[in-house]
Coordinates of all heavy atoms in Angstrom, one line a residue:
M108 N -22.8 -19.7 -11.3 CA -23.0 -19.5 -9.9 C -22.8 -18.0 -9.5 O -23.6 -17.4 -8.9 CB -22.0 -20.4 -9.1 CG -22.0 -20.1 -7.7 SD -23.4 -20.9 -6.9 CE -23.1 -20.6 -5.2
T109 N -21.7 -17.4 -10.0 CA -21.4 -16.0 -9.6 C -22.4 -15.0 -10.2 O -22.7 -14.0 -9.7 CB -20.0 -15.5 -10.0 OG1 -19.8 -15.7 -11.4 CG2 -19.0 -16.3 -9.2
A110 N -23.0 -15.4 -11.4 CA -24.0 -14.5 -12.0 C -25.3 -14.4 -11.2 O -26.0 -13.4 -11.3 CB -24.4 -15.1 -13.4
T111 N -25.5 -15.4 -10.3 CA -26.7 -15.3 -9.5 C -26.5 -14.5 -8.2 O -27.4 -14.1 -7.5 CB -27.2 -16.7 -9.1 OG1 -26.2 -17.3 -8.3 CG2 -27.6 -17.5 -10.3
L112 N -25.2 -14.2 -7.9 CA -24.9 -13.4 -6.7 C -25.1 -11.9 -7.0 O -24.9 -11.5 -8.1 CB -23.5 -13.6 -6.2 CG -23.1 -15.0 -5.8 CD1 -21.6 -15.1 -5.6 CD2 -23.9 -15.4 -4.5
P113 N -25.6 -11.1 -6.0 CA -25.7 -9.7 -6.2 C -24.3 -9.1 -6.6 O -23.3 -9.6 -6.2 CB -26.1 -9.2 -4.8 CG -26.6 -10.4 -4.1 CD -25.9 -11.6 -4.6
R114 N -24.4 -8.1 -7.4 CA -23.2 -7.4 -7.9 C -22.3 -7.0 -6.7 O -21.1 -7.1 -6.8 CB -23.6 -6.2 -8.7 CG -22.4 -5.5 -9.4 CD -22.8 -4.3 -10.2 NE -21.7 -3.8 -10.9 CZ -21.6 -3.8 -12.2 NH1 -22.5 -4.3 -12.9 NH2 -20.5 -3.4 -12.8
A115 N -22.8 -6.4 -5.6 CA -22.0 -6.0 -4.5 C -21.2 -7.1 -3.9 O -20.0 -6.9 -3.6 CB -22.9 -5.3 -3.5
V116 N -21.8 -8.3 -3.9 CA -21.1 -9.5 -3.3 C -19.9 -9.9 -4.3 O -18.8 -10.2 -3.8 CB -22.0 -10.6 -3.0 CG1 -21.3 -11.9 -2.6 CG2 -23.0 -10.2 -2.0
R117 N -20.2 -9.9 -5.6 CA -19.2 -10.3 -6.5 C -18.0 -9.3 -6.5 O -16.9 -9.7 -6.9 CB -19.8 -10.4 -7.9 CG -20.7 -11.6 -8.1 CD -21.2 -11.7 -9.5 NE -22.3 -10.8 -9.7 CZ -22.6 -10.1 -10.7 NH1 -21.9 -10.2 -11.8 NH2 -23.7 -9.4 -10.8
S118 N -18.3 -8.1 -6.2 CA -17.2 -7.0 -6.3 C -16.4 -7.0 -5.0 O -15.3 -6.3 -5.0 CB -17.9 -5.7 -6.5 OG -18.6 -5.7 -7.7
L119 N -16.7 -7.7 -4.0 CA -16.0 -7.6 -2.7 C -14.5 -7.9 -2.9 O -13.7 -7.2 -2.4 CB -16.6 -8.4 -1.6 CG -17.9 -7.8 -1.0 CD1 -18.4 -8.7 0.1 CD2 -17.5 -6.5 -0.3
P120 N -14.1 -9.0 -3.5 CA -12.7 -9.3 -3.6 C -11.9 -8.2 -4.3 O -10.9 -7.8 -3.9 CB -12.7 -10.6 -4.4 CG -14.0 -11.3 -4.1 CD -15.0 -10.1 -4.0
L121 N -12.5 -7.7 -5.4 CA -11.8 -6.6 -6.1 C -11.7 -5.3 -5.2 O -10.7 -4.7 -5.2 CB -12.6 -6.3 -7.4 CG -12.0 -5.1 -8.2 CD1 -10.6 -5.3 -8.6 CD2 -12.9 -4.8 -9.4
L122 N -12.8 -5.0 -4.6 CA -12.8 -3.8 -3.7 C -11.8 -4.0 -2.6 O -11.1 -3.0 -2.2 CB -14.2 -3.5 -3.2 CG -15.3 -3.1 -4.2 CD1 -16.6 -2.9 -3.5 CD2 -14.8 -1.8 -4.8
A123 N -11.7 -5.2 -2.0 CA -10.8 -5.4 -0.9 C -9.4 -5.3 -1.5 O -8.5 -4.7 -0.8 CB -11.0 -6.8 -0.4
R124 N -9.1 -5.8 -2.7 CA -7.8 -5.6 -3.3 C -7.4 -4.2 -3.5 O -6.3 -3.7 -3.2 CB -7.7 -6.4 -4.6 CG -6.8 -7.6 -4.5 CD -6.8 -8.2 -5.8 NE -8.2 -8.5 -6.3 CZ -8.5 -9.2 -7.3 NH1 -7.6 -9.7 -8.1 NH2 -9.8 -9.5 -7.6
L125 N -8.4 -3.4 -4.0 CA -8.2 -2.0 -4.3 C -7.9 -1.2 -3.0 O -7.0 -0.4 -2.9 CB -9.4 -1.4 -5.0 CG -9.6 -1.8 -6.4 CD1 -10.9 -1.3 -7.0 CD2 -8.4 -1.4 -7.3
A126 N -8.7 -1.6 -1.9 CA -8.5 -0.9 -0.6 C -7.1 -1.3 -0.1 O -6.4 -0.4 0.5 CB -9.6 -1.4 0.3
G127 N -6.7 -2.5 -0.3 CA -5.3 -2.9 0.2 C -4.2 -2.2 -0.5 O -3.3 -1.7 0.1
W128 N -4.4 -2.0 -1.9 CA -3.4 -1.3 -2.7 C -3.3 0.1 -2.2 O -2.3 0.7 -2.1 CB -3.7 -1.4 -4.1 CG -3.5 -2.7 -4.7 CD1 -2.7 -3.8 -4.2 CD2 -4.1 -3.2 -5.9 NE1 -2.8 -4.8 -5.1 CE2 -3.6 -4.6 -6.1 CE3 -4.9 -2.7 -6.9 CZ2 -3.9 -5.3 -7.2 CZ3 -5.3 -3.5 -8.0 CH2 -4.8 -4.8 -8.2
H129 N -4.5 0.7 -2.0 CA -4.6 2.1 -1.6 C -3.9 2.3 -0.2 O -3.1 3.3 0.0 CB -6.0 2.6 -1.5 CG -6.2 4.0 -1.2 ND1 -6.5 4.5 0.0 CD2 -6.0 5.1 -2.0 CE1 -6.5 5.8 0.0 NE2 -6.2 6.2 -1.2
A130 N -4.2 1.4 0.7 CA -3.5 1.5 2.0 C -2.0 1.4 1.9 O -1.3 2.1 2.6 CB -4.1 0.4 3.0
C131 N -1.6 0.5 1.1 CA -0.1 0.3 0.9 C 0.5 1.5 0.3 O 1.6 2.0 0.8 CB 0.1 -0.9 0.0 SG 1.9 -1.4 -0.1
A132 N -0.1 2.1 -0.7 CA 0.5 3.3 -1.3 C 0.4 4.5 -0.3 O 1.4 5.2 -0.2 CB -0.4 3.7 -2.5
R133 N -0.6 4.6 0.5 CA -0.7 5.6 1.5 C 0.3 5.5 2.6 O 1.0 6.4 3.0 CB -2.1 5.6 2.1 CG -2.4 6.8 3.0 CD -3.9 6.8 3.4 NE -4.2 5.6 4.2 CZ -5.2 4.8 3.8 NH1 -5.9 5.0 2.7 NH2 -5.4 3.7 4.5
S134 N 0.6 4.2 3.0 CA 1.6 4.0 4.0 C 3.0 4.3 3.5 O 3.8 4.9 4.3 CB 1.6 2.5 4.4 OG 0.4 2.1 5.1
R135 N 3.2 4.1 2.3 CA 4.5 4.4 1.7 C 4.7 5.9 1.6 O 5.8 6.4 1.9 CB 4.7 3.8 0.3 CG 4.9 2.3 0.4 CD 5.1 1.6 -0.9 NE 5.3 0.2 -0.7 CZ 4.9 -0.7 -1.6 NH1 4.3 -0.4 -2.7 NH2 5.2 -2.0 -1.4
V136 N 3.7 6.7 1.3 CA 3.7 8.1 1.3 C 4.1 8.6 2.7 O 5.0 9.5 2.9 CB 2.4 8.8 0.8 CG1 2.4 10.2 1.1 CG2 2.3 8.5 -0.7
H137 N 3.4 8.1 3.7 CA 3.7 8.5 5.1 C 5.1 8.1 5.5 O 5.8 8.9 6.2 CB 2.7 7.9 6.1 CG 1.3 8.4 5.9 ND1 0.9 9.7 6.1 CD2 0.1 7.7 5.6 CE1 -0.4 9.8 5.9 NE2 -0.9 8.7 5.6
L138 N 5.5 7.0 5.1 CA 6.9 6.5 5.4 C 7.9 7.5 4.8 O 8.9 7.8 5.4 CB 7.1 5.1 4.9 CG 8.4 4.4 5.2 CD1 8.7 4.3 6.7 CD2 8.5 3.1 4.5
S139 N 7.7 7.9 3.6 CA 8.6 8.8 2.9 C 8.7 10.1 3.5 O 9.7 10.8 3.4 CB 8.2 8.9 1.4 OG 7.1 9.7 1.3
R140 N 7.7 10.5 4.3 CA 7.7 11.8 4.9 C 8.3 11.9 6.3 O 8.5 12.9 6.9 CB 6.3 12.4 5.0 CG 5.7 12.6 3.7 CD 4.3 13.1 3.8 NE 3.7 13.4 2.4 CZ 2.5 13.6 2.2 NH1 1.6 13.5 3.1 NH2 2.1 13.8 0.9
L141 N 8.7 10.7 6.9 CA 9.3 10.7 8.2 C 10.7 11.2 8.1 O 11.5 11.0 7.1 CB 9.4 9.2 8.7 CG 8.0 8.6 9.0 CD1 8.2 7.1 9.5 CD2 7.2 9.3 10.0
D142 N 11.1 11.9 9.2 CA 12.5 12.4 9.2 C 13.5 11.3 9.6 O 13.1 10.2 10.1 CB 12.6 13.6 10.1 CG 12.3 13.3 11.6 OD1 12.6 12.2 12.0 OD2 11.9 14.3 12.3
D143 N 14.8 11.5 9.5 CA 15.8 10.5 9.8 C 15.8 10.0 11.2 O 16.1 8.9 11.5 CB 17.2 11.1 9.4 CG 17.3 11.2 7.9 OD1 16.6 10.5 7.1 OD2 18.2 12.0 7.5
T144 N 15.4 10.9 12.1 CA 15.4 10.5 13.5 C 14.3 9.4 13.8 O 14.5 8.4 14.4 CB 15.1 11.7 14.5 OG1 16.1 12.7 14.2 CG2 15.2 11.3 15.9
L145 N 13.1 9.7 13.2 CA 12.0 8.7 13.3 C 12.4 7.4 12.6 O 12.0 6.3 13.1 CB 10.7 9.3 12.8 CG 10.1 10.4 13.7 CD1 8.9 11.0 13.0 CD2 9.7 9.9 15.0
L146 N 13.0 7.5 11.4 CA 13.4 6.3 10.7 C 14.4 5.5 11.5 O 14.3 4.3 11.6 CB 14.0 6.7 9.3 CG 13.0 7.3 8.3 CD1 13.8 7.6 7.0 CD2 11.9 6.3 8.0
A147 N 15.3 6.2 12.2 CA 16.3 5.5 13.0 C 15.6 4.8 14.2 O 15.9 3.6 14.5 CB 17.3 6.4 13.5
D148 N 14.6 5.4 14.7 CA 13.8 4.8 15.8 C 13.1 3.5 15.3 O 12.9 2.5 16.1 CB 12.7 5.7 16.3 CG 13.3 6.8 17.2 OD1 14.5 6.7 17.6 OD2 12.5 7.8 17.5
L149 N 12.7 3.5 14.0 CA 12.1 2.3 13.4 C 13.1 1.3 12.9 O 12.8 0.2 12.5 CB 11.2 2.7 12.3 CG 10.0 3.6 12.6 CD1 9.3 4.1 11.3 CD2 9.0 2.8 13.4
G150 N 14.4 1.7 13.0 CA 15.4 0.8 12.5 C 15.6 0.8 11.0 O 16.0 -0.2 10.4
L151 N 15.2 1.9 10.3 CA 15.2 2.0 8.9 C 16.2 3.0 8.5 O 16.4 4.0 9.2 CB 13.8 2.3 8.3 CG 12.7 1.3 8.5 CD1 11.4 1.9 8.1 CD2 13.0 0.0 7.8
T152 N 16.8 2.9 7.3 CA 17.6 3.9 6.7 C 16.8 4.6 5.6 O 15.8 4.1 5.1 CB 18.9 3.3 6.1 OG1 18.5 2.5 5.0 CG2 19.7 2.5 7.1
R153 N 17.3 5.8 5.2 CA 16.7 6.5 4.2 C 16.7 5.7 2.9 O 15.8 5.7 2.1 CB 17.4 7.9 4.0 CG 16.8 8.8 2.9 CD 15.4 9.3 3.1 NE 15.2 9.9 4.4 CZ 14.0 10.2 4.9 NH1 13.0 9.9 4.2 NH2 13.9 10.8 6.1
D154 N 17.8 5.0 2.6 CA 17.9 4.2 1.4 C 16.9 3.0 1.4 O 16.3 2.8 0.4 CB 19.3 3.6 1.3 CG 19.6 3.0 0.0 OD1 19.3 3.6 -1.0 OD2 20.1 1.8 0.0
E155 N 16.6 2.4 2.5 CA 15.6 1.4 2.6 C 14.2 1.9 2.3 O 13.4 1.3 1.7 CB 15.6 0.7 4.0 CG 16.8 -0.1 4.3 CD 16.9 -0.6 5.7 OE1 16.6 0.2 6.6 OE2 17.4 -1.7 5.9
V156 N 14.0 3.1 2.8 CA 12.7 3.8 2.6 C 12.5 4.1 1.1 O 11.5 3.9 0.5 CB 12.6 5.1 3.4 CG1 11.3 5.9 3.0 CG2 12.5 4.7 4.9
R157 N 13.6 4.6 0.5 CA 13.6 4.9 -1.0 C 13.2 3.6 -1.8 O 12.4 3.7 -2.7 CB 14.9 5.5 -1.4 CG 15.0 6.9 -1.1 CD 16.2 7.6 -1.8 NE 16.6 8.8 -1.2 CZ 17.6 9.0 -0.3 NH1 18.4 8.0 -0.1 NH2 17.8 10.1 0.2
R158 N 13.9 2.5 -1.4 CA 13.6 1.3 -2.1 C 12.2 0.8 -1.9 O 11.5 0.4 -2.9 CB 14.6 0.2 -1.6 CG 15.9 0.2 -2.3 CD 16.7 -1.1 -2.1 NE 16.8 -1.5 -0.7 CZ 17.8 -1.1 0.1 NH1 18.8 -0.4 -0.3 NH2 17.8 -1.6 1.4
E159 N 11.7 0.9 -0.7 CA 10.3 0.6 -0.4 C 9.3 1.5 -1.2 O 8.3 1.0 -1.8 CB 10.0 0.6 1.1 CG 8.6 0.2 1.4 CD 8.3 -1.2 1.2 OE1 9.2 -2.1 1.2 OE2 7.1 -1.5 0.9
C160 N 9.6 2.7 -1.2 CA 8.7 3.7 -1.9 C 8.7 3.6 -3.4 O 7.8 4.0 -4.1 CB 9.0 5.1 -1.4 SG 8.5 5.4 0.3
A161 N 9.8 3.0 -3.9 CA 9.9 2.8 -5.4 C 9.1 1.6 -5.9 O 9.0 1.5 -7.1 CB 11.4 2.7 -5.8
K162 N 8.7 0.8 -5.0 CA 7.9 -0.4 -5.4 C 6.5 0.1 -6.0 O 6.0 1.1 -5.6 CB 7.6 -1.3 -4.3 CG 8.9 -2.0 -3.7 CD 8.5 -2.8 -2.5 CE 9.7 -3.5 -1.9 NZ 9.4 -4.3 -0.7
P163 N 6.0 -0.7 -7.0 CA 4.7 -0.4 -7.5 C 3.6 -0.6 -6.4 O 3.8 -1.3 -5.4 CB 4.5 -1.4 -8.6 CG 5.5 -2.5 -8.4 CD 6.6 -1.9 -7.6
F164 N 2.5 0.1 -6.5 CA 1.5 0.0 -5.4 C 1.0 -1.4 -5.2 O 0.5 -1.6 -4.1 CB 0.3 1.0 -5.8 CG -0.5 0.6 -7.0 CD1 -1.6 -0.2 -6.8 CD2 -0.2 1.0 -8.2 CE1 -2.3 -0.6 -7.9 CE2 -0.9 0.7 -9.3 CZ -2.0 -0.1 -9.2
W165 N 1.0 -2.2 -6.1 CA 0.5 -3.6 -5.9 C 1.5 -4.5 -5.3 O 1.1 -5.7 -4.9 CB 0.0 -4.2 -7.3 CG 1.1 -4.3 -8.3 CD1 1.9 -5.4 -8.4 CD2 1.4 -3.4 -9.3 NE1 2.8 -5.1 -9.4 CE2 2.5 -3.9 -10.0 CE3 0.9 -2.1 -9.7 CZ2 3.1 -3.3 -11.1 CZ3 1.5 -1.5 -10.7 CH2 2.5 -2.1 -11.4
A166 N 2.7 -4.1 -5.1 CA 3.7 -5.0 -4.5 C 3.8 -4.9 -3.0 O 3.4 -4.0 -2.4 CB 5.1 -4.7 -5.1

């Protein structure tokens, strides 16, 4: 069944996953660059941010 679908359609799930992983990694980079005042506004500590940023991109 999948062999009859166009390649672009078959690739969508993989591309969506890759886009999600990229967005997650990018968000963690932005989070790591926030100063302590902004982190406090978000209710986060520097230690929590370090733990989050240490996760692999797919987690």
Side-chain angles (χ1 to χ4, degrees):
M108 173 79 176
T109 58
T111 61
L112 295 173
R114 183 182 188 114
V116 173
R117 285 183 281 143
S118 299
L119 282 178
L121 175 60
L122 292 176
R124 252 183 302 189
L125 290 172
W128 289 341
H129 184 259
C131 187
R133 191 174 57 240
S134 294
R135 288 179 178 149
V136 168
H137 291 301
L138 183 63
S139 72
R140 293 179 179 166
L141 296 178
D142 64 30
D143 291 335
T144 305
L145 289 173
L146 291 177
D148 287 347
L149 295 171
L151 297 172
T152 65
R153 181 63 55 193
D154 191 49
E155 290 171 322
V156 170
R157 281 191 198 104
R158 280 195 306 268
E159 182 64 28
C160 292
K162 293 180 182 177
F164 67 88
W165 61 85

